[in-house]
Amino acid sequence: MEIVGDYEYNNKDLIGHGAFAVVFKGRHRKKSNFPVAIKSITKKSLAKSQNLLGKEIKILKELTELHHENVVALLDCKESQHNVYLVMELCIG
Ligand SMILES: Nc1ncnc2c1ncn2[C@@H]1O[C@H](COP(=O)(O)OP(=O)(O)OP(=O)(O)O)[C@@H](O)[C@H]1O
């Protein structure tokens, strides 16, 4: 299991990938019935897309403030030596 703050994911549980990130299905470490999506961005690719990521975090934070059922909330942001992680509510369907 990979640990991201209060959350964890298994490398096998890949959901998808976008222009600069891979997204895994994960969960809260203490609440196993609390599923999340963990977006992992390598710092290498960050160098190319720093502006894009900055905008995405800003927008996600603003949207999270709305507490709207149709808007995915950003739960946490963490970084390791090589990666930046965005922990979000998991969208199903
Ligand atoms: N919160 C989430 N819940 C469930 N699946 C998600 C979530 N966020 C992303 N995904 C899945 O991971 C894939 C990649 O997401 P990501 O945000 O990296 O890229 P994208 O939005 O598809 O494209 P781009 O990189 O161009 O913005 C998505 O297509 C989706 O299938």
Side-chain angles (χ1 to χ4, degrees):
M1 280 290 192
E2 309 297 320
I3 308 287
V4 180
D6 291 339
Y7 302 88
E8 64 185 7
Y9 69 91
N10 190 316
N11 270 318
K12 284 184 285 187
D13 296 328
L14 183 73
I15 301 177
H17 56 86
F20 58 91
V22 285
V23 181
F24 297 94
K25 182 170 188 254
R27 61 182 190 176
H28 195 283
R29 289 170 67 195
K30 292 192 185 126
K31 303 170 211 162
S32 56
N33 59 346
F34 181 174
V36 294
I38 301 179
K39 186 165 177 166
S40 166
I41 303 126
T42 60
K43 288 185 176 173
K44 249 187 206 170
S45 65
L46 248 186
K48 293 180 215 149
S49 50
Q50 207 154 19
N51 284 344
L52 269 180
L53 183 67
K55 278 182 198 157
E56 178 167 352
I57 292 174
K58 182 172 176 284
I59 291 167
L60 282 172
K61 280 184 175 164
E62 286 166 4
L63 290 174
T64 299
E65 287 298 302
L66 295 176
H67 300 290
H68 192 280
E69 59 176 333
N70 292 345
V71 174
V72 172
L74 178 66
L75 302 170
D76 205 359
C77 289
K78 285 270 179 278
E79 69 174 308
S80 66
Q81 193 184 353
H82 298 295
N83 293 76
V84 171
Y85 300 98
L86 304 185
V87 181
M88 298 170 280
E89 284 178 336
L90 180 72
C91 296
I92 304 165

